[in-house]
Amino acid sequence: MAIRYWYLFIRSFLLLPDLLPKCLELSLYGDPDVFKALGEVITKRTCPMNTLKLKCLSREGDAILVFMGALQSSPHQTPKLIDIGQPMYLSSDAIIAISTLLQNQECKIEGLVLRQTRIYDESLAQISLSLQKNVTLREFIVDTKSLTNTGWDIMSSLVCNTSSINSTYSSNHTLYKFGPN
């Protein structure tokens, strides 16, 4: 029942999306309909949000997948900082949705925080490919407990690939903070 109220509350902002605060912190159960509605409201705003902190009270990654999918319809309206927390598993589809959003040249995300989301080397490799085309992300905070040396090597070569002058030139030098909190 509480999930339905959250859904209706968030959907009510579709009429006047700019009434949604510029900085928002929500703890929601992982109902995909609620997250989709939130994504729709954010993309209808005339001025982008500054900060969105989501604490998903479910271990399902599908809600994040749906949310990122909704943001893909208007990547220029993405919040500057997206902070996703709580222990959860991000499915490979959710990682692809995050990557697709990040590689869109209209995406305005400057900070992405994935707390307690169990990112593994393969997921980090997928995200790092999208960051090669991203020029807005400055800060990428990720739970590094699941990473091996392979994951660290992937990110370090992205940020500053010193294998050649051209590789160094084409490295993503906009990312200035990566790692755990």
Side-chain angles (χ1 to χ4, degrees):
M1 188 62 123
I3 291 174
R4 189 76 189 143
Y5 290 124
W6 270 114
Y7 175 74
L8 294 173
F9 173 72
I10 291 172
R11 291 280 305 173
S12 68
F13 283 104
L14 280 173
L15 299 172
L16 297 165
D18 287 324
L19 290 180
L20 192 69
K22 288 188 84 150
C23 296
L24 184 62
E25 184 168 343
L26 289 175
S27 294
L28 297 172
Y29 285 96
D31 180 45
D33 289 338
V34 175
F35 281 82
K36 183 177 182 183
L38 180 61
E40 289 172 0
V41 170
I42 288 171
T43 60
K44 302 252 186 284
R45 292 174 57 90
T46 55
C47 61
M49 292 182 74
N50 286 335
T51 305
L52 176 63
K53 290 185 177 185
L54 287 177
K55 291 189 174 144
C56 184
L57 302 176
S58 167
R59 297 191 186 278
E60 301 297 319
D62 290 343
I64 301 302
L65 168 63
V66 169
F67 173 69
M68 291 294 175
L71 289 182
Q72 287 176 16
S73 66
S74 294
H76 60 283
Q77 288 297 97
T78 53
K80 291 180 181 179
L81 171 67
I82 296 179
D83 184 338
I84 299 172
Q86 292 306 96
M88 68 169 21
Y89 168 74
L90 292 179
S91 67
S92 59
D93 290 337
I95 295 294
I96 290 170
I98 291 170
S99 298
T100 302
L101 184 62
L102 287 174
Q103 71 185 10
N104 189 315
Q105 301 211 347
E106 293 181 31
C107 178
K108 303 295 183 206
I109 298 174
E110 294 177 9
L112 179 62
V113 180
L114 302 174
R115 296 177 202 278
Q116 300 177 356
T117 51
R118 289 177 276 180
I119 296 288
Y120 296 97
D121 294 338
E122 302 80 28
S123 300
L124 192 61
Q126 177 73 38
I127 292 173
S128 71
L129 288 174
S130 65
L131 292 180
Q132 290 175 345
K133 299 176 183 175
N134 182 292
V135 295
T136 60
L137 193 69
R138 306 275 184 257
E139 183 175 7
F140 182 38
I141 305 300
V142 64
D143 184 4
T144 57
K145 293 175 193 159
S146 304
L147 295 180
T148 66
N149 287 339
T150 304
W152 285 105
D153 290 344
I154 289 168
M155 280 309 291
S156 64
S157 67
L158 167 72
V159 176
C160 190
N161 186 347
T162 59
S163 63
S164 71
I165 293 173
N166 280 341
S167 296
T168 302
Y169 177 74
S170 63
S171 295
N172 182 337
H173 292 288
T174 62
L175 194 63
Y176 71 86
K177 186 173 183 182
F178 167 73
N181 258 352

